[in-house]
């Protein structure tokens, strides 16, 4: 059974940084595409970043390009999201997600497994 466990959320001032991590267990990490999504109160879940293990490609939402970096560690079965220059509008619950194939999609419905989410709050 595949499990995803996120960590690293918290409260940070605008302009600050946070690093989120997601540990995957239950299957081989290399056969997955991984994504980070976020959901703010009253809004739909939106794509933030994704990584394709087989190809090594990385994808980002326009709103986070240049500020967020997604990376992975095969040996630790971990995918991370480094978030810099955080803005008030980055406040949300952040979710890690995995797909059974190596193709990154930006729609939540394409993902097969989800973590429980971690809260990120950016204050002024």
């Amino acid at each position: 059974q595949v499990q995803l466990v996120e960590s690293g959320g918290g409260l940070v001032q605008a302009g600050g940084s946070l690093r989120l991590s997601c540990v995957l267990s239950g299957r081989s990490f290399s056969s997955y595409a991984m994504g980070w999504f976020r959901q703010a109160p009253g809004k739909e879940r939106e794509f933030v970043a994704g990584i394709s293990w087989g190809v090594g490609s990385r994808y980002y939402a326009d709103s986070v390009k240049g500020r967020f970096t997604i990376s992975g560690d095969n040996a630790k079965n971990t995918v991370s999201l480094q978030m810099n220059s955080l803005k008030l509008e980055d406040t949300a619950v952040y979710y890690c997600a995995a797909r059974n194939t190596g193709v990154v999609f930006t729609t939540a419905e394409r993902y097969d497994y989800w973590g429980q989410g971690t809260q990120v709050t950016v204050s002024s």
Side-chain angles (χ1 to χ4, degrees), residues 10 21 37 40 42 52 61 69 81 91 93 111 124:
S21 293
F37 288 75
S52 172
T69 302
L81 185 69
T91 295
V93 177
Y111 288 77
S124 59

Side-chain angles (χ1 to χ4, degrees), residues 21-79:
S21 293
C22 174
V23 179
L24 182 149
S25 62
R27 284 187 62 175
S28 170
F29 202 22
S30 62
S31 63
Y32 279 76
M34 303 290 294
W36 284 98
F37 288 75
R38 66 187 181 187
Q39 189 166 18
K43 294 188 176 181
E44 293 189 353
R45 192 168 296 190
E46 64 173 357
F47 174 81
V48 175
I51 184 167
S52 172
W53 287 107
V55 179
S57 300
R58 292 164 171 79
Y59 305 87
Y60 298 94
D62 289 342
S63 59
V64 307
K65 279 181 183 176
R67 301 189 298 122
F68 291 11
T69 302
I70 188 170
S71 62
D73 185 333
N74 254 342
K76 297 181 179 180
N77 274 3
T78 299
V79 61

